[in-house]
Amino acid sequence: MSNSNAIANGVAGAGAGIIAQILTYPLQTVNTRQQTERIAKSKPKPPTAAAGTLLQILHVLQTEGWGGLYSGLKPSLFGTAASQGIYYYFYQLFKNKAEAIAIVRKHKGRGDGTLGIFSWLVVAALAGSLNVLLTNPIWVLVTRMQTHTQAERKIMESKKEALLKEASENGLIGSTLQEKLDELESTKPHPYGTIHAAREVYTEAGIRGFWKGIIPTLIMVCNPSIQFMIYETSLKRLKEKRSANKHGLKNVSALE
């Protein structure tokens, strides 16, 4: 029964995560590009965050189409489904085991059969750590695919600057220069596939490259762990309060 409970929680978490990911993915793509983009000192300061995000979304649509906004969506959906599914599955599994241990301890005269704050924290931390270890390679590929087009665009900008510099030094003007610029502009960056991204990661850093940034990510597991600890503790207190209120109403009815 506890196993099927965990599976049901995992499936529900995966489904909810997929829907949320599809709806918010364009914002995630733009956010990732903004975080990884370096702005030269000579360039004007970017607009406010909200305006900058909207302008960048429009720019991506104009230059790359919808494919640019949804670059890396397939591995991201897989990662979200896996991440949410794994987390909620193991969370429910560890929670069931922790509750079973608490009941056994109660029968032995130790404790009241309920989980304390520390137990909730351990359960959430274990589920979160397993989730991170198993799904980190997917998110490495997703980030790589989201930023690949931006990197290609920067390379093209460098080529354009080099071409203009060469033209000014060699006196290349008129139609010849314009032809070369038009040829360069017509070469638009395109998102690349998951296999290509995986091959690049492996070539650069081997197997370890797929777990790049794993230590700070594991440390950040504390955030959802504390969140779930507070959630479970608050839920438990709310249930106890409702139970006490119902019990009090029954006693009042009996006296009447």
Side-chain angles (χ1 to χ4, degrees):
M1 180 69 177
S2 61
N3 231 3
S4 61
N5 221 9
I7 292 171
N9 273 270
V11 171
I18 287 172
I19 293 170
Q21 189 75 341
I22 291 172
L23 294 174
T24 62
Y25 195 78
L27 290 174
Q28 293 177 39
T29 299
V30 170
N31 183 49
T32 301
R33 292 189 182 193
Q34 287 177 338
Q35 288 175 341
T36 56
E37 186 176 19
R38 291 184 177 89
I39 300 172
K41 289 182 180 179
S42 58
K43 291 184 179 180
K45 290 184 179 181
T48 60
T53 300
L54 180 59
L55 287 173
Q56 188 152 8
I57 288 174
L58 293 173
H59 176 70
V60 173
L61 281 173
Q62 187 179 19
T63 57
E64 303 168 37
W66 286 98
L69 284 178
Y70 283 93
S71 175
L73 178 63
K74 288 180 182 178
S76 180
L77 285 179
F78 178 73
T80 299
S83 179
Q84 295 294 315
I86 287 170
Y87 184 83
Y88 282 99
Y89 172 78
F90 281 110
Y91 180 82
Q92 189 63 44
L93 202 65
F94 290 140
K95 177 184 172 182
N96 292 340
K97 290 191 179 297
E99 287 175 339
I101 292 170
I103 291 170
V104 171
R105 285 172 58 83
K106 181 182 179 182
H107 290 158
K108 291 180 179 180
R110 290 179 290 176
D112 59 357
T114 61
L115 298 181
I117 292 177
F118 180 74
S119 297
W120 289 123
L121 185 61
V122 170
V123 166
L126 285 173
S129 297
L130 274 172
N131 173 36
V132 167
L133 289 169
L134 292 173
T135 62
N136 197 74
I138 299 170
W139 298 118
V140 168
L141 296 180
V142 170
T143 303
R144 177 68 64 106
M145 292 176 74
Q146 286 176 332
T147 57
H148 174 75
T149 305
Q150 182 185 17
E152 278 193 348
R153 188 166 59 250
K154 285 183 179 180
I155 291 171
M156 283 200 297
E157 286 175 1
S158 299
K159 287 181 179 179
K160 186 177 179 181
E161 288 177 7
L163 182 62
L164 291 171
K165 184 179 179 182
E166 183 186 352
S168 64
E169 290 175 354
N170 300 333
L172 186 66
I173 54 173
S175 59
T176 307
L177 174 61
Q178 190 59 47
E179 282 175 12
K180 289 189 176 184
L181 287 173
D182 290 341
E183 185 182 348
L184 192 63
E185 286 292 333
S186 65
T187 310
K188 293 183 179 180
H190 297 285
Y192 65 164
T194 309
I195 295 174
H196 191 173
R199 193 182 294 121
E200 277 193 0
V201 172
Y202 183 77
T203 302
E204 290 172 8
I207 292 294
R208 288 182 298 177
F210 292 96
W211 277 270
K212 189 176 181 180
I214 192 71
I215 300 301
T217 307
L218 281 172
I219 293 171
M220 287 303 294
V221 165
C222 295
N223 183 21
S225 298
I226 294 170
Q227 177 185 336
F228 265 80
M229 174 193 73
I230 295 170
Y231 165 76
E232 291 288 359
T233 306
S234 303
L235 188 64
K236 177 187 168 186
R237 288 177 180 173
L238 184 62
K239 286 180 178 178
E240 288 174 350
K241 188 176 180 181
R242 286 181 177 178
S243 179
N245 288 340
K246 285 181 180 179
H247 187 68
L249 287 171
K250 284 181 180 178
N251 288 340
V252 170
S253 297
L255 289 172
E256 288 176 352

